[in-house]
Amino acid sequence: MRGWHGAAEPPGRVTLIRNSETTMAGKPKLHYFNGRGRMESIRWLLAAAGVEFEEKFIETPEDWDKLRNDGCLMFQQVPMVEMDGMKLVQTRAILNYIATKYNLYGKDIKERALIDMYTEGMADLNEMIIVLPLCPPDQKDAKIALIKERTTDRYLPVFEKVLKSHGQDYLVGNTLSRADIHLVELLYIVEELDPSLLANFPLLKALKTRISNLPTVKKFLQPGSPRKPPIDEKSLEQAKKIFRIK
């Protein structure tokens, strides 16, 4: 199993069009278990775009069987998001759709290429952290050490350098994009692992503060929001039971 979804898959100024469209088409409905996994980046992006959404949690093996047997899952996998009359699957496809719809994907093909490169790098690091709870206990310390090393030596230096090179408030085009949202989500996760990992990256810490103070993101960070806590042993066992993971 890769991640948390049963037969799972392989992670400036914004013009928001949420009000009329979400009213006409209904709120997006997110199908996943009640935890972070690969749905969390989707929650972050929708929230940052100011889009209200509903969640239909998979709580039992029977819920999981029903969703698969109803033919709603193209590849028998979640996350799945019902949105604009579609049943969207595959995390990257869902994120691409949301980012495009809500103008968080750059102004042209070159900016989009940069956003893609940055977010793919973030996804590589995030993937290492997502699967950490599944790591055998005797390998966990080594995995954590590797994650910390990759964080400080490979990934965060890239984004610190990007911000330093152009001196702007955002990663691409001096406009808020999905790259900024995904990076700030990742920075919060990294801080949960070890707060000292951000010590040598002042521009990233400033970006984190700046994005966190955007009204839509600030609301998402408040207690009681759809943002999910780090997975604990109880949630891990529940997910294994739902998706019949040995």
Side-chain angles (χ1 to χ4, degrees):
M1 177 209 178
R2 300 198 301 267
W4 304 110
H5 13 48
E9 74 169 80
R13 185 176 60 195
V14 187
T15 303
L16 298 181
I17 52 178
R18 60 187 182 275
N19 294 331
S20 62
E21 292 200 10
T22 54
T23 299
M24 285 194 306
K27 296 177 183 177
K29 183 180 290 187
L30 282 52
H31 295 263
Y32 206 59
F33 82 103
N34 188 11
R36 284 185 180 176
R38 288 187 174 82
M39 186 64 89
E40 192 69 359
S41 291
I42 297 168
R43 297 183 185 109
W44 265 85
L45 195 58
L46 284 169
V51 180
E52 293 184 0
F53 55 86
E54 300 174 357
E55 298 199 78
K56 176 66 174 175
F57 294 126
I58 303 168
E59 297 179 323
T60 66
E62 291 73 27
D63 289 344
W64 176 230
D65 290 341
K66 184 176 187 305
L67 192 61
R68 288 187 299 170
N69 294 335
D70 285 349
C72 297
L73 304 177
M74 184 180 292
F75 300 111
Q76 301 292 298
Q77 301 164 345
V78 289
M80 189 268 279
V81 174
E82 293 185 73
M83 185 174 182
D84 297 340
M86 297 183 291
K87 291 180 170 64
L88 299 170
V89 297
Q90 300 296 105
T91 304
R92 287 178 175 85
I94 297 167
L95 292 169
N96 289 348
Y97 182 84
I98 295 167
T100 301
K101 178 171 182 175
Y102 295 105
N103 302 301
L104 294 167
Y105 215 164
K107 70 178 186 297
D108 56 35
I109 192 171
K110 289 185 177 181
E111 286 193 357
R112 183 167 178 165
L114 286 173
I115 291 168
D116 284 342
M117 288 192 291
Y118 297 159
T119 56
E120 287 298 310
M122 296 168 202
D124 288 346
L125 179 56
N126 196 33
E127 177 74 10
M128 296 175 71
I129 299 171
I130 284 177
V131 301
L132 184 61
L134 295 171
C135 181
D138 62 338
Q139 300 176 24
K140 196 162 189 176
D141 287 346
K143 291 288 187 184
I144 290 173
L146 178 61
I147 290 169
K148 290 182 178 182
E149 183 270 329
R150 293 282 171 84
T151 296
T152 56
D153 295 353
R154 177 178 294 189
Y155 293 105
L156 296 194
V158 169
F159 305 119
E160 183 81 5
K161 183 178 179 181
V162 169
L163 292 172
K164 186 175 181 180
S165 69
H166 58 46
Q168 296 173 341
D169 287 344
Y170 303 100
L171 286 170
V172 179
N174 204 27
T175 301
L176 182 69
S177 76
R178 61 176 292 199
D180 303 297
I181 303 302
H182 296 326
L183 179 54
V184 169
E185 178 196 0
L186 182 60
L187 294 178
Y188 274 99
I189 294 170
V190 165
E191 274 194 325
E192 291 170 352
L193 187 67
D194 183 348
S196 71
L197 295 174
L198 298 187
N200 295 322
F201 303 99
L203 297 181
L204 293 184
K205 290 195 289 186
L207 176 73
K208 177 174 171 283
T209 299
R210 192 159 51 246
I211 300 300
S212 297
N213 282 325
L214 294 174
T216 54
V217 178
K218 190 172 185 177
K219 180 180 178 182
F220 186 65
L221 293 172
Q222 296 302 308
S225 84
R227 184 182 178 220
K228 303 298 182 276
I231 194 162
D232 56 19
E233 191 63 33
K234 181 179 179 181
S235 298
L236 176 60
E237 290 307 311
Q238 182 185 21
K240 287 181 176 180
K241 182 179 178 180
I242 292 168
F243 299 118
R244 299 186 177 90
I245 302 164
K246 303 298 184 182

